């Protein structure tokens, strides 16, 4: 029985990553490390500022804190192992580490899909129902929507990842990617995976297609409401309210759709790795930059906190 278990479930996986281009690995190491540091710091700043400044204790920034914490967790579940593999010749990850990685990455990826849809509903309520906004987006509902996002992502990860983990791999342990991703682990199985594939398609529809549909519906209603605004000031406020979220949605869903909803092509595998590198490493860094550089309220709150901590709290510069 022990021999069968060892054959079915390898002790380690070999993450091939970018090993076909060894000259590229040192450059990628520096690139990924720099972006990871900026990502953690940027998202951490948003969390701290949103919690410390009372003017940011609103539904929009409550969901933004959730998004920033999610991005830190998501990139941390992948980048440290990627850096280890890029640094030296060792390209392995333990079986347990691989399982934990695709459980967590699947959970957080699905959660972000739902959370972005929730944030689009918040923007819809702010622009289309401004007089009832505080009644609609009351704290209890905000907490419930955030909890549902995290719980929904966890549920689909537990189901899909557990089904994948139960597949016998018969000694196959070479993953042609830089992290353990559920579809790639499925490809190593030495049994029929039709049921697992159906589960992935159903989960993709529920956690990718449906949230994207809700986002499109919300923004179609927002666009209709904006068209009825006569003043330039009203247009400007609507643009400032939605532009950051639209940019984040475009980055996240653009890469996800490219990765998972296009027909499989053998010759696009290397391109797929670069896209995966973008949405696992670059996008979590861009999110805080988008929300801070394009948001005067966050920049003002950040300056206020910095000045207070530097002993200039009594000065009136705003």
């Amino acid at each position: 029985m022990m021999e069968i278990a060892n054959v079915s479930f390898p002790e380690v996986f070999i993450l091939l990553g970018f090993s076909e281009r060894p000259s590229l690995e040192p450059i990628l190491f520096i690139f990924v490390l720099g972006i990871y540091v900026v990502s953690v710091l940027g998202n951490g700043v948003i969390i701290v500022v949103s919690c410390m400044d009372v003017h940011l204790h609103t539904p929009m920034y409550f969901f933004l804190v959730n998004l920033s914490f999610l991005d830190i967790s998501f990139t941390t579940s992948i980048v440290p192992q990627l850096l280890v593999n890029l640094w030296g010749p060792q390209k392995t990850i333990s079986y347990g580490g691989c399982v934990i990685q695709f459980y967590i990455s699947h959970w957080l990826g699905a959660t972000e899909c739902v959370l972005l849809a929730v944030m689009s509903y918040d923007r819809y309520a702010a622009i289309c129902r401004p007089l009832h906004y505080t009644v609609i987006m009351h704290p209890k509902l905000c907490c419930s929507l955030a909890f549902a996002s995290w719980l929904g992502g966890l549920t689909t990860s537990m189901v899909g990842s557990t089904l994948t983990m139960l597949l016998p791999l018969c000694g196959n342990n070479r993953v042609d990617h830089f992290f353990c991703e559920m579809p790639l682990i499925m490809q190593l199985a030495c049994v029929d995976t039709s049921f697992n594939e159906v589960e992935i398609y159903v989960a993709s529809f529920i956690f990718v297609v449906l949230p994207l549909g809700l986002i499109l519906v919300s923004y179609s209603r927002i666009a209709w409401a904006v068209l009825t605004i006569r003043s330039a000031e009203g247009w400007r406020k609507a643009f400032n309210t939605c532009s950051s979220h639209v940019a984040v949605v475009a980055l996240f869903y653009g890469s996800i759709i490219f990765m998972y909803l296009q027909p499989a092509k053998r010759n696009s595998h290397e391109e797929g790795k670069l896209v995966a590198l973008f949405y696992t490493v670059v996008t979590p860094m861009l999110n805080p930059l988008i929300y801070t550089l394009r948001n005067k309220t966050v920049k003002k709150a950040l300056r206020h906190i910095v000045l207070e901590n530097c002993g200039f709290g009594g000065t009136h510069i705003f």
Side-chain angles (χ1 to χ4, degrees):
M1 286 299 292
M2 182 63 67
E3 183 178 352
I4 295 175
N6 289 337
V7 172
S8 298
F9 303 103
E11 293 183 0
V12 297
F13 287 95
I14 299 173
L15 298 175
L16 299 179
F18 302 94
S19 57
E20 293 182 356
R21 300 181 181 179
S23 60
L24 187 63
E25 290 186 332
I27 300 172
L28 280 177
F29 178 87
I30 297 172
F31 173 76
V32 171
L33 178 61
I35 288 183
Y36 177 63
V37 171
V38 173
S39 176
V40 172
L41 290 177
N43 284 291
V45 165
I46 285 184
I47 294 172
V48 171
V49 171
S50 298
C51 292
M52 291 182 64
D53 194 296
V54 293
H55 298 98
L56 301 183
H57 293 177
T58 64
M60 175 181 173
Y61 295 102
F62 169 75
F63 294 126
L64 183 55
V65 166
N66 277 265
L67 180 63
S68 294
F69 178 74
L70 190 153
D71 281 338
I72 291 175
S73 304
F74 181 66
T75 192
T76 300
S77 71
I78 294 171
V79 169
Q81 181 66 47
L82 171 59
L83 291 173
V84 170
N85 291 349
L86 289 174
W87 179 253
Q90 192 79 4
K91 309 294 182 186
T92 60
I93 181 173
S94 67
Y95 177 82
C98 186
V99 170
I100 291 172
Q101 193 174 71
F102 68 68
Y103 263 99
I104 293 177
S105 61
H106 190 194
W107 171 25
L108 299 178
T111 300
E112 183 156 354
C113 290
V114 180
L115 187 61
L116 289 174
V118 169
M119 294 174 73
S120 72
Y121 176 74
D122 172 66
R123 295 301 82 207
Y124 158 77
I127 293 177
C128 299
R129 305 288 298 277
L131 299 179
H132 302 90
Y133 177 69
T134 55
V135 176
I136 295 173
M137 301 302 296
H138 54 84
K140 187 175 180 180
L141 177 63
C142 293
C143 291
S144 298
L145 290 173
F147 179 76
S149 300
W150 287 93
L151 181 61
L154 178 61
T155 301
T156 187
S157 175
M158 292 297 292
V159 174
S161 299
T162 301
L163 289 174
T164 302
M165 187 182 67
L166 294 175
L167 292 171
L169 305 181
C170 301
N172 298 324
N173 68 340
R174 296 172 66 87
V175 180
D176 193 8
H177 214 312
F178 59 83
F179 73 103
C180 291
E181 199 172 27
M182 199 167 66
L184 293 175
I185 301 300
M186 283 172 50
Q187 292 176 11
L188 302 179
C190 53
V191 295
D192 181 51
T193 60
S194 299
F195 181 77
N196 300 71
E197 291 170 8
V198 170
E199 188 278 331
I200 283 184
Y201 282 121
V202 172
S204 297
F205 178 78
I206 295 174
F207 289 93
V208 178
V209 178
L210 281 184
L212 180 58
L214 292 174
I215 291 171
L216 294 176
V217 169
S218 295
Y219 276 103
S220 64
R221 299 291 298 272
I222 290 172
W224 181 259
V226 169
L227 290 175
T228 63
I229 298 175
R230 302 290 184 181
S231 66
E233 179 67 14
W235 277 68
R236 186 186 65 81
K237 287 183 179 180
F239 177 78
N240 289 338
T241 300
C242 298
S243 58
S244 296
H245 183 253
V246 170
V248 170
V249 168
L251 286 171
F252 181 78
Y253 272 99
S255 55
I256 290 294
I257 289 172
F258 182 90
M259 282 295 297
Y260 295 107
L261 299 184
Q262 69 167 353
K265 297 179 180 178
R266 291 180 179 270
N267 58 0
S268 65
H269 190 67
E270 289 300 317
E271 184 180 355
K273 288 182 187 178
L274 293 176
V275 174
L277 189 67
F278 180 82
Y279 82 80
T280 57
V281 179
V282 179
T283 300
M285 177 204 67
L286 292 177
N287 288 355
L289 295 180
I290 289 170
Y291 274 105
T292 53
L293 294 178
R294 300 179 64 89
N295 193 310
K296 293 181 179 179
T297 306
V298 174
K299 288 190 288 186
K300 183 176 180 179
L302 180 58
R303 285 198 301 268
H304 181 70
I305 291 172
V306 170
L307 290 172
E308 276 195 342
N309 290 334
C310 291
F312 298 104
T315 59
H316 300 282
I317 64 172
F318 301 111

